[in-house]
Amino acid sequence: MKENLRKFIVDNFSFGQSDVKFSDDESLLEKGLIDSTGVLELVTFLETKYKIHIEDNELIPDNLDSIEKMIRFVNRKVGKEA
């Protein structure tokens, strides 16, 4: 899951520049990699890839602002522990 998320972010938000560096726990918003429009693209990707539904009240940084947070969030949604 981690590599799929990282690839999606690099491909879609850094214009394919593979040399963009960010750690798994780094804030994508603070890093400037993703904005509100990007969050919507990310949600569509997560819902499609992992067959989950994300509610409006779940669109918060605690769930989606880093790769680690996304992994924990998706695992909770599909019923797995991280």
Side-chain angles (χ1 to χ4, degrees):
M1 180 185 307
K2 183 185 300 186
E3 292 309 314
N4 285 334
L5 292 171
R6 182 171 289 279
K7 182 174 181 351
F8 177 81
I9 292 164
V10 169
D11 288 350
N12 291 280
F13 304 122
S14 68
F15 306 102
Q17 296 177 344
S18 60
D19 60 343
V20 173
K21 304 287 185 215
F22 58 99
S23 64
D24 293 341
D25 63 347
E26 196 165 14
S27 169
L28 301 175
L29 291 169
E30 290 178 11
K31 186 81 175 172
L33 285 171
I34 192 168
D35 58 14
S36 58
T37 303
V39 170
L40 298 178
E41 291 178 48
L42 178 63
V43 166
T44 300
F45 170 76
L46 293 173
E47 287 182 330
T48 303
K49 180 78 177 172
Y50 300 104
K51 309 211 180 327
I52 59 175
H53 177 72
I54 300 174
E55 302 292 338
D56 288 345
N57 65 353
E58 294 174 316
L59 300 176
I60 56 175
D62 280 349
N63 291 333
L64 303 170
D65 193 32
S66 72
I67 289 180
E68 285 186 357
K69 289 177 180 178
M70 282 185 260
I71 290 171
R72 284 195 299 267
F73 175 68
V74 170
N75 281 338
R76 280 195 314 270
K77 295 292 285 184
V78 298
K80 296 178 183 176
E81 290 297 320

